[in-house]
């Protein structure tokens, strides 16, 4: 059974292992995951929140999100990342639904997320589109030549 809960100190090493093994993550992505995770663990009420998906008590994946600075009710979803061996088993969906529910309880109204337009990110984009996210903007050559930024938005339905 999938369980999602706020990440704790014992989750740090497995989360970082999952991030290190994710081929879509760059070295910089991995470094930022580690930096934000350490910030969250030091101050769970800060600007970044991490959730952990568990499979029989073992970390299967994680999500990171936080309020968007200078907005009211808008949140950034930074990552949902599931261990390769746990993909297509509902962990990503469970993490996303938990993120949406927590943001809704905080009074959030909109989630945004940025991802790459490269073909290797097609499954990522398809996942978010299946879950109701809309591609709202595309900036050509944003990350590097032939690597567009695709911005997705998700208006949070009222409970």
């Amino acid at each position: 059974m999938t369980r999602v809960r706020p990440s704790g100190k014992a989750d740090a090493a497995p989360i970082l292992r999952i991030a290190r093994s994710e081929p879509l993550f760059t070295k910089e992505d991995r470094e930022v995951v580690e930096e934000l995770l350490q910030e969250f663990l030091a101050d769970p009420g800060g600007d970044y929140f991490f959730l952990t998906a568990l499979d029989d008590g073992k970390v299967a994946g994680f999500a990171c999100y936080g309020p968007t600075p200078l907005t009211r009710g808008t949140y950034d979803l930074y990552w949902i990342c599931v261990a390769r061996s746990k993909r297509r088993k509902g962990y990503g969906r469970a993490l996303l639904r938990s993120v949406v529910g927590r943001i809704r309880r905080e009074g959030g109204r909109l989630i945004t997320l940025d991802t790459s337009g490269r073909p290797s990110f097609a499954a990522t984009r398809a996942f978010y589109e299946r879950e109701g996210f809309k591609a709202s903007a595309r900036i050509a050559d944003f990350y590097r030549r032939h690597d567009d930024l695709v911005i997705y938005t998700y208006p949070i339905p009222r409970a």
Side-chain angles (χ1 to χ4, degrees), residues 111-125:
I111 298 173
T112 65
L113 69 87
D114 300 348
T115 194
S116 172
R118 286 185 295 157
S120 57
F121 280 80
T124 299
R125 294 189 304 273

Side-chain angles (χ1 to χ4, degrees), residues 114-146:
D114 300 348
T115 194
S116 172
R118 286 185 295 157
S120 57
F121 280 80
T124 299
R125 294 189 304 273
F127 167 76
Y128 288 115
E129 290 168 8
R130 278 193 309 274
E131 295 301 316
F133 281 73
K134 301 267 189 270
S136 297
R138 185 178 197 108
I139 302 172
D141 300 327
F142 181 83
Y143 293 106
R144 61 191 63 82
R145 186 176 291 293
H146 307 296

Side-chain angles (χ1 to χ4, degrees), residues 47-155:
D47 293 330
Y48 303 100
F49 302 97
F50 274 79
L51 300 177
T52 296
L54 298 171
D55 175 38
D56 284 332
K58 294 189 189 310
V59 175
F62 69 91
C64 177
Y65 68 98
T68 306
L70 305 175
T71 70
R72 295 184 195 270
T74 300
Y75 283 73
D76 291 306
L77 175 56
Y78 297 104
W79 301 284
I80 290 181
C81 187
V82 175
R84 302 291 269 171
S85 64
K86 304 292 181 182
R87 301 257 167 105
R88 306 196 67 76
K89 296 180 180 175
Y91 297 104
R93 179 174 287 123
L95 282 161
L96 181 57
R97 289 183 179 168
S98 187
V99 167
V100 170
R102 287 167 185 272
I103 291 173
R104 179 184 292 124
R105 286 191 293 281
E106 290 295 320
R109 60 181 180 73
L110 180 69
I111 298 173
T112 65
L113 69 87
D114 300 348
T115 194
S116 172
R118 286 185 295 157
S120 57
F121 280 80
T124 299
R125 294 189 304 273
F127 167 76
Y128 288 115
E129 290 168 8
R130 278 193 309 274
E131 295 301 316
F133 281 73
K134 301 267 189 270
S136 297
R138 185 178 197 108
I139 302 172
D141 300 327
F142 181 83
Y143 293 106
R144 61 191 63 82
R145 186 176 291 293
H146 307 296
D147 190 359
D148 299 353
L149 164 66
V150 183
I151 302 171
Y152 282 87
T153 57
Y154 180 82

